[in-house]
Amino acid sequence: MAALPEKVTIIEVGPRDGLQNEKESVPTATKLAFIGKLVEAGLKHIEATSFVSPKAVPQLADAMEVARGLPAAPGVTFSALAPNEKGLDRAIESGIRRIAVFTAASESFTKKNINMTIAESLAVFAPVVSKALAAGLSVRGYVSTSFVCLYEGDIAKEKVLDVSQRLLDMGVDEVAISDTIGAASPKDVFDTVGFVLQRIPRDKIALHFHDTYGTALANVLAGLQLGIATFDASAGGLGGCPYAPGASGNLATEDLVYMLDRMGIATGVQLDKLVEASTLIASRLNRRLPSRQWQRLNRA
Ligand code: COA
Ligand code: ZN
């Protein structure tokens, strides 16, 4: 246990990855109230929305209003996805200070998700990242489907390293190695992330797990054992990806916080406040949420 990180940074992706895949569209005011409660819970990194095509993701068509309505929260970094120059321009106009570009380690998924090959996506991102950095924004890069792809099966670790390295070479400061369909096991994490870490420093890597098969927390432990200290999670376990059918919610932030608290690893997040944030969304979506901690504290 001595080798595990003493503290972990949680990137809260519920307002983006979570809400983008909910059938019910959530009103802008509710999204902002949700985000406000996430801030109150102590989350310091919140992915608030996406400047993508509103036809591709209608749930986040109000990105401009959400970004402009974000609370003044010193010490909190809000970010938004931006897949191309148009997205970046909207992001800059909205005042948000951090964007994320997103490609994948699987060609088929990239094509379905953003209608580009991986190489095309990297060619589109290069000027977007330069322009963002020149405008004083910071940039995160996602490598979706880094372990298993619905269309292509097992993903080669060499591909994950290659795409991650190219994103870092462009100037992103963090790469989120992502299990978009939630099918990875700890062995996949040791193999793929362990391989990536031979070339890329661990402080440049975040891990993004979904919990479709119930392996997300086990995968976090594998990541911790590799020395990774940044994990994405979604309040209540909201989420999925509209372009990855069958993908269920992200790892629930509550469940991650509970486990890390219990392990003595600091997160700065207050579990009871976080549950309040999720409850606000649950009542709007009119359904129970997958998070175990949320369910424990909200018995039907
Ligand atoms: N913001 C708003 N609108 C955008 C946009 C952006 N960032 N990028 C493109 N559009 C609009 C274009 O203006 C165009 O509109 P029109 O039909 O009214 O003329 C339309 O979207 C199509 O644009 P095009 O450049 O031909 O892109 P495309 O159809 O090949 O789609 C993406 C490419 C990347 C824009 C689109 O696939 C997308 O937004 N995907 C996001 C998927 C996602 O968020 N997945 C979840 C994250 S894992
Ligand atoms: Zn995701």
Side-chain angles (χ1 to χ4, degrees):
M1 293 299 277
L4 300 185
E6 283 171 15
K7 60 177 192 194
V8 151
T9 299
I10 298 179
I11 314 292
E12 170 59 49
V13 297
R16 193 281 300 176
D17 208 359
L19 296 183
Q20 78 183 9
N21 200 37
E22 293 293 339
K23 277 182 232 71
E24 294 284 317
S25 211
V26 174
T28 309
T30 308
K31 290 177 181 173
L32 289 170
F34 175 45
I35 291 169
K37 285 192 169 288
L38 293 169
V39 170
E40 279 175 34
L43 287 150
K44 297 282 183 243
H45 299 267
I46 302 177
E47 198 170 72
T49 187
S50 280
F51 292 100
V52 297
S53 159
K55 280 180 208 141
V57 185
Q59 294 90 333
L60 304 182
D62 62 352
M64 187 65 80
E65 291 74 22
V66 169
R68 287 191 166 149
L70 289 170
V76 177
T77 303
F78 295 108
S79 60
L81 298 194
N84 52 23
E85 186 137 8
K86 179 159 188 177
L88 172 64
D89 290 343
R90 292 172 64 211
I92 292 174
E93 194 189 330
S94 79
I96 210 147
R97 305 296 296 153
R98 183 166 174 79
I99 60 159
V101 294
F102 52 105
T103 185
S106 147
E107 285 294 352
S108 320
F109 179 78
T110 313
K111 194 74 193 166
K112 291 219 161 47
N113 193 32
I114 51 177
N115 192 27
M116 298 178 222
T117 64
I118 296 171
E120 282 166 354
S121 73
L122 294 168
V124 167
F125 296 162
V128 170
V129 175
S130 317
K131 187 170 165 184
L133 295 177
L137 280 73
S138 63
V139 188
R140 161 181 245 223
Y142 277 94
V143 182
S144 296
T145 57
S146 283
F147 304 97
V148 189
C149 170
L150 203 63
Y151 312 105
E152 294 186 8
D154 289 355
I155 296 297
K157 55 187 189 286
E158 292 80 6
K159 190 76 192 175
V160 178
L161 172 62
D162 179 52
V163 177
S164 301
Q165 190 64 62
R166 285 171 196 268
L167 288 168
L168 288 165
D169 290 347
M170 253 174 226
V172 312
D173 55 40
E174 176 176 272
V175 172
I177 296 184
S178 306
D179 182 19
T180 310
I181 64 167
S185 78
K187 181 177 187 301
D188 298 308
V189 177
F190 286 127
D191 287 352
T192 298
V193 181
F195 181 75
V196 168
L197 287 174
Q198 290 174 12
R199 303 290 291 279
I200 296 177
R202 40 175 69 92
D203 63 351
K204 299 279 177 207
I205 301 292
L207 297 179
H208 177 110
F209 296 121
H210 285 250
D211 204 27
T212 317
Y213 292 87
T215 54
L217 276 179
N219 292 339
V220 168
L221 180 59
L224 291 169
Q225 287 177 328
L226 289 168
I228 304 290
T230 304
F231 295 91
D232 293 5
S234 154
L238 292 165
C241 175
Y243 297 92
S248 79
N250 294 74
L251 165 62
T253 316
E254 288 90 338
D255 299 354
L256 176 62
V257 168
Y258 172 79
M259 185 179 88
L260 295 173
D261 276 354
R262 183 79 197 151
M263 293 172 79
I265 298 174
T267 64
V269 180
Q270 268 180 274
L271 189 52
D272 53 340
K273 294 261 184 203
L274 180 56
V275 167
E276 281 177 30
S278 300
T279 299
L280 182 127
I281 283 294
S283 51
R284 178 70 214 188
L285 297 173
N286 205 18
R287 70 172 178 90
R288 292 181 64 74
L289 298 175
S291 161
R292 297 295 178 83
Q293 289 304 315
W294 185 86
Q295 290 185 16
R296 186 176 68 80
L297 296 162
N298 288 276
R299 295 202 190 283

